[in-house]
Amino acid sequence: DAGITQSPRHKVTETGTPVTLRCHQTENHRYMYWYRQDPGHGLRLIHYSYGVKDTDKGEVSDGYSVSRSKTEDFLLTLESATSSQTSVYFCAINPGQGAQETQYFGPGTRLLVL
Amino acid sequence: SQKIEQNSEALNIQEGKTATLTCNYTNYSPAYLQWYRQDPGRGPVFLLLIRENEKEKRKERLKVTFDTTLKQSLFHITASQPADSATYLCALEKDSSYKLIFGSGTRLLVRP
């Protein structure tokens, strides 16, 4: 998985609780992304980062926040989890230089909000 | 609005045949298009990238075409094998920003 780990890999939580998912990379890539994947919707971009402390919203960012204080770590926080945020979350990285547009994905985190 | 469509129905073919998957898009003018493979319970894995000025790209048994007039990409797997069974996703570059928009994927089943 191209030097990307996600933690936790599985989580069950209750509605209204905060949840933080972690993405860690060892590739020193500039760009990092958080997606969610749901049946019938494919992968949808939540937030992405183009450098330390540089982040921007994706198409489904409501209810989510992110932080990147180090190149290797990108955190996704659900401020107050809702059942609609039950999903599989994928982190991806991209070197962001030259003609390397390929994204490399982590193994995913399966989140269930009860 | 921008939209990417892949056949949501699974493609079921016999081993040894050629599998052809389709990706159509609207309201885009992407500089490139990518195909990824995803196995159950795992993250997508990059397969091929084709640019707007390329008509065709090959890698081993894989071939991708990109028709910017039709706004369509075709993904072919020749001499298919049961190990090729997976979901295949197409993705388009968005806004020249290293962001991708993904289709919902097509599941391929290759029968022995």
Side-chain angles (χ1 to χ4, degrees):
Chain A
D1 288 322
I4 309 170
T5 56
Q6 293 184 230
S7 58
R9 293 293 313 280
H10 301 272
K11 186 168 182 67
V12 179
T13 191
E14 293 186 350
T15 298
T17 60
V19 175
T20 295
L21 308 183
R22 180 184 184 232
C23 177
H24 179 79
Q25 61 145 328
T26 58
E27 307 294 326
N28 200 36
H29 283 355
R30 178 183 174 189
Y31 285 77
M32 299 186 76
Y33 310 81
W34 276 109
Y35 293 90
R36 61 177 289 173
Q37 187 172 38
D38 306 287
H41 288 278
L43 285 160
R44 292 182 291 174
L45 182 65
I46 304 172
H47 282 280
Y48 71 104
S49 170
Y50 48 96
V52 174
K53 298 192 190 307
D54 293 323
T55 65
D56 203 352
K57 296 178 180 180
E59 61 182 308
V60 290
S61 59
D62 287 348
Y64 301 94
S65 62
V66 290
S67 66
R68 191 170 179 198
S69 58
K70 298 184 291 185
T71 297
E72 57 265 35
D73 289 324
F74 192 32
L75 304 180
L76 176 71
T77 297
L78 289 65
E79 304 289 348
S80 177
T82 67
S83 59
S84 65
Q85 293 176 313
T86 291
S87 187
V88 181
Y89 291 85
F90 287 100
C91 175
I93 63 175
N94 177 296
Q97 59 185 355
Q100 298 186 53
E101 300 90 347
T102 303
Q103 293 191 10
Y104 302 93
F105 285 81
T109 293
R110 205 168 276 275
L111 176 67
L112 175 61
V113 183
L114 299 175
Chain B
S1 63
Q2 298 170 325
K3 197 173 180 181
I4 303 175
E5 290 184 339
Q6 294 185 257
N7 194 340
S8 59
E9 292 183 15
L11 179 63
N12 197 325
I13 65 169
Q14 185 72 41
E15 181 176 8
K17 301 294 186 182
T18 296
T20 299
L21 285 68
T22 303
C23 177
N24 295 296
Y25 60 95
T26 57
N27 299 323
Y28 277 111
S29 295
Y32 57 83
L33 182 148
Q34 302 183 21
W35 283 89
Y36 288 77
R37 169 184 172 140
Q38 187 174 22
D39 292 288
R42 306 192 65 131
V45 174
F46 169 76
L47 295 175
L48 281 168
L49 179 152
I50 186 166
R51 301 190 183 280
E52 59 180 339
N53 60 347
E54 298 174 316
K55 295 296 183 186
E56 182 179 297
K57 201 82 167 278
R58 291 176 185 262
K59 177 183 176 182
E60 298 173 351
R61 294 184 295 111
L62 309 180
K63 184 179 85 171
V64 172
T65 62
F66 192 12
D67 189 324
T68 56
T69 301
L70 291 179
K71 294 188 181 295
Q72 181 181 79
S73 176
L74 299 179
F75 176 80
H76 307 272
I77 305 176
T78 58
S80 60
Q81 304 167 1
D84 295 325
S85 297
T87 296
Y88 292 86
L89 309 171
C90 70
L92 298 175
E93 167 243 8
K94 179 176 171 62
D95 304 330
S96 303
S97 59
Y98 291 102
K99 291 192 293 185
L100 296 175
I101 302 293
F102 283 84
S104 56
T106 298
R107 187 175 172 209
L108 173 66
L109 300 172
V110 181
R111 303 188 309 273

